[in-house]
């Protein structure tokens, strides 16, 4: 059991205050978004900065020799944009009651609804360092008189630790594809019902018949011209979805420079013109779908670029899964099944905490019913 008296917790206002190697020693091989390189690209591009409503407040826990034991990416938030675990109704209710919801403390990977560790531990670090990080975050929230602290898209294990330390738990869902030892895309299709199998083949053939060719690029193969094209697609899609883009052009250049080997950029070409793109990041077991955009409407191209190309890539590179993110029941008929996601919430005001707790109890019942209904839509053959 680690003693808090022998440990030191600091709060970093920039990820650059710690070396990449030291931070990444706490990051698992399958979690590219938690890497120093990803977080620093967000900061250096200005996507996570005070003026953007994301003020870095990263927590780091050292032993008495100065060795990093644990860390957490965290931010003071002046809004609830870019989180994907929505608390707008909480903010509205609290402020109508006379409270001040913002700023709040958010432990998260910005703009990234991907589950993973948020209470990052170095190898062989005592497990109770997670509780010490939580304690430090709550103390910071109290010190700054914040309304709340939120830890989003965490692991189930961390979610349970948080509940044992006074946090409220919330469960959501998103869609993942699991690689059941497939040797080819056709091998995967053979596991589906006949109707779903024929539908997917029809969709893929329609893309080929339209004269569109797809390429997967990583590392040095991705040029600034590729990023220019993809960014134009991103601007169009983000403008329609959110009203404004969270990421700027500089971010994508920095991502390519710092994490190019972790990027899988799917580009769709019509003759020599790039007409669509889908951005993925990969870990040692998973490929994570992130952003998509298209110059014009090509039938079924979204499914091909975002879902089928990712499955093909996972099979070829022996990855265990594809995570396609939140929303989109249409993903189920393409082999992506609902999986639980977890978040934890600490509320300062006791009365408001009880109201949020009641909301979450109802929300969990709704989510359980949705998960049951969605699971019944599985396209896979029944064994």
């Amino acid at each position: 059991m680690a003693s808090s008296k022998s440990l030191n917790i600091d709060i970093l206002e920039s990820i650059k205050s710690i070396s990449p190697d030291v931070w990444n020693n706490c990051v698992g091989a399958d979690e590219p978004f938690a890497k120093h390189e990803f977080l620093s690209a967000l900061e250096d591009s200005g996507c996570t900065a005070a003026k953007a409503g994301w003020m870095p407040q990263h927590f780091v826990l050292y032993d008495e020799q100065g060795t990093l034991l644990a860390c957490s990416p965290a931010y003071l938030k002046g809004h609830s944009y870019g989180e994907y675990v929505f608390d707008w109704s909480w903010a509205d209710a609290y402020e109508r009651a006379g409270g001040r919801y913002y700023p709040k403390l958010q432990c998260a990977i910005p703009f990234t609804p991907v589950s993973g560790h948020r209470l990052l531990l170095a190898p062989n670090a005592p497990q109770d360092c997670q509780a010490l990080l939580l304690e430090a975050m709550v103390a910071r929230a109290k010190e700054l008189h914040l309304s709340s602290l939120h830890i989003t898209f965490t692991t189930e294990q961390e979610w349970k630790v948080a509940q044992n330390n006074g946090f409220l738990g919330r469960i959501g869902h998103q869609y993942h594809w699991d690689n059941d030892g497939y040797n080819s895309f056709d091998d995967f299709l053979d596991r589906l019902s006949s109707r779903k199998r024929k539908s997917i083949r029809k969709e893929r053939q329609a893309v080929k018949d339209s004269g569109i060719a797809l390429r997967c690029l990583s590392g040095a193969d991705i040029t600034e011209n590729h990023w220019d094209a993809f960014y134009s697609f991103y601007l169009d899609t983000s403008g329609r979805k959110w009203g404004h883009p969270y990421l700027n052009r500089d971010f994508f250049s920095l991502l390519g420079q710092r994490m190019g080997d972790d990027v899988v950029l799917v580009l769709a070409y019509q003759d020599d013109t790039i007409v669509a793109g889908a951005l993925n990041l990969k870990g040692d077991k998973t490929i994570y779908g992130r952003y998509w955009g298209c110059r014009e409407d090509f039938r079924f191209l979204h499914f091909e670029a975002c879902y089928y190309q990712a499955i093909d890539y996972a099979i070829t590179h022996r990855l265990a899964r594809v995570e396609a993110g939140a929303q989109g029941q249409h993903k189920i008929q393409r082999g992506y099944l609902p999986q639980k996601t977890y978040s934890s919430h600490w509320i300062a005001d006791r009365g408001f905490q009880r109201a949020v707790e009641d909301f979450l109890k109802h929300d969990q019942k709704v989510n359980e019913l949705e998960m049951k209904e969605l699971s019944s839509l599985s396209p896979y053959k029944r064994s």
Side-chain angles (χ1 to χ4, degrees):
M1 177 72 71
S3 169
S4 59
K5 294 181 180 179
S6 62
L7 303 178
N8 179 48
I9 289 183
D10 286 340
I11 301 173
L12 309 180
E13 295 187 352
S14 171
I15 195 71
K16 292 184 291 185
S17 299
I18 188 171
S19 77
D21 288 344
V22 171
W23 178 276
N24 288 345
N25 189 48
C26 298
V27 178
D30 200 38
E31 300 190 67
F33 301 100
K35 285 184 176 180
H36 190 284
E37 291 82 355
F38 186 83
L39 299 174
S40 67
L42 289 172
E43 289 187 20
D44 290 346
S45 63
C47 296
T48 51
K51 65 179 181 180
W54 290 82
M55 184 183 296
Q57 295 276 284
H58 307 306
F59 290 77
V60 289
L61 175 65
Y62 298 97
D63 67 13
E64 53 191 351
Q65 284 79 41
T67 301
L68 185 69
L69 295 177
C71 54
S72 287
Y75 302 83
L76 281 176
K77 288 292 307 296
H79 50 68
S80 292
Y81 291 104
E83 297 171 11
Y84 306 95
V85 177
F86 302 114
D87 63 347
W88 294 105
S89 62
W90 302 2
D92 180 63
Y94 193 57
E95 294 189 354
R96 280 192 287 107
R100 181 168 174 258
Y101 194 76
Y102 303 108
K104 61 179 182 176
L105 187 59
Q106 190 85 21
C107 177
I109 306 298
F111 322 117
T112 308
V114 169
S115 295
H117 290 87
R118 300 294 176 259
L119 310 175
L120 305 167
L121 296 179
N124 303 316
Q127 195 71 27
D128 64 308
C129 288
Q130 292 180 326
L132 294 176
L133 282 173
L134 293 174
E135 181 182 312
M137 283 189 256
V138 169
R140 181 63 166 167
K142 290 180 177 179
E143 176 190 358
L144 298 178
H145 304 289
L146 305 180
S147 69
S148 52
L149 158 63
H150 309 267
I151 308 175
T152 47
F153 292 100
T154 185
T155 66
E156 183 179 8
Q157 180 269 330
E158 292 174 337
W159 182 73
K160 291 177 179 177
V161 171
Q163 287 187 81
N164 290 336
N165 284 270
F167 283 67
L168 303 176
R170 187 176 191 178
I171 297 177
H173 65 268
Q174 56 184 208
Y175 300 92
H176 300 171
W177 177 88
D178 289 323
N179 187 354
D180 193 16
Y182 303 120
N183 294 312
S184 66
F185 196 92
D186 282 340
D187 192 14
F188 152 62
L189 288 182
D190 286 342
R191 305 287 182 90
L192 305 182
S193 67
S194 175
R195 186 167 62 87
K196 298 299 184 185
R197 184 167 60 247
K198 290 177 181 177
S199 177
I200 290 175
R201 283 182 172 144
K202 180 180 178 181
E203 291 176 356
R204 300 201 83 183
Q205 189 61 46
V207 173
K208 290 180 181 179
D209 292 344
S210 68
I212 291 176
L214 290 108
R215 303 174 192 171
C216 292
L217 304 178
S218 293
D221 291 334
I222 304 175
T223 68
E224 289 300 307
N225 288 335
H226 293 136
W227 284 127
D228 284 340
F230 179 77
Y231 186 62
S232 70
F233 305 142
Y234 167 76
L235 285 178
D236 178 66
T237 301
S238 61
R240 286 185 281 108
K241 274 189 174 182
W242 311 310
H244 65 278
Y246 297 137
L247 304 172
N248 58 33
R249 177 62 182 82
D250 289 344
F251 167 78
F252 291 99
S253 289
L254 292 173
L255 180 69
Q257 293 165 19
R258 298 176 186 181
M259 297 183 67
D261 289 340
D262 295 329
V263 172
V264 179
L265 184 62
V266 178
L267 295 176
Y269 287 79
Q270 190 174 52
D271 298 324
D272 293 326
T273 302
I274 303 173
V275 296
L279 176 63
N280 308 269
L281 264 69
K282 62 179 178 177
D284 68 340
K285 297 178 182 178
T286 308
I287 180 169
Y288 303 91
R290 291 302 302 117
Y291 301 107
W292 143 266
C294 190
R295 175 167 293 179
E296 56 185 276
D297 186 27
F298 294 92
R299 196 175 185 208
F300 302 129
L301 182 55
H302 174 232
F303 304 142
E304 177 65 37
C306 294
Y307 308 143
Y308 304 146
Q309 287 292 312
I311 290 174
D312 257 336
Y313 189 94
I315 292 172
T316 300
H317 293 84
R318 304 296 182 191
L319 301 179
R321 70 187 59 84
V322 181
E323 293 198 10
Q327 301 179 339
Q329 186 174 315
H330 60 273
K331 295 171 184 173
I332 294 177
Q333 61 184 299
R334 293 165 178 89
Y336 292 76
L337 298 182
Q339 301 289 334
K340 291 181 179 179
T341 60
Y342 302 92
S343 63
S344 301
H345 310 270
W346 174 87
I347 309 295
D349 184 284
R350 292 302 178 90
F352 187 49
Q353 178 188 26
R354 289 192 292 270
V356 171
E357 186 173 15
D358 289 341
F359 169 88
L360 291 176
K361 288 178 180 177
H362 173 74
D363 188 61
Q364 183 166 337
K365 291 179 181 178
V366 171
N367 187 68
E368 288 172 354
L369 290 173
E370 287 182 354
M371 286 281 289
K372 185 176 181 179
E373 179 180 350
L374 292 170
S375 296
S376 71
L377 302 176
S378 171
Y380 294 90
K381 297 175 184 175
R382 299 187 185 277
S383 56

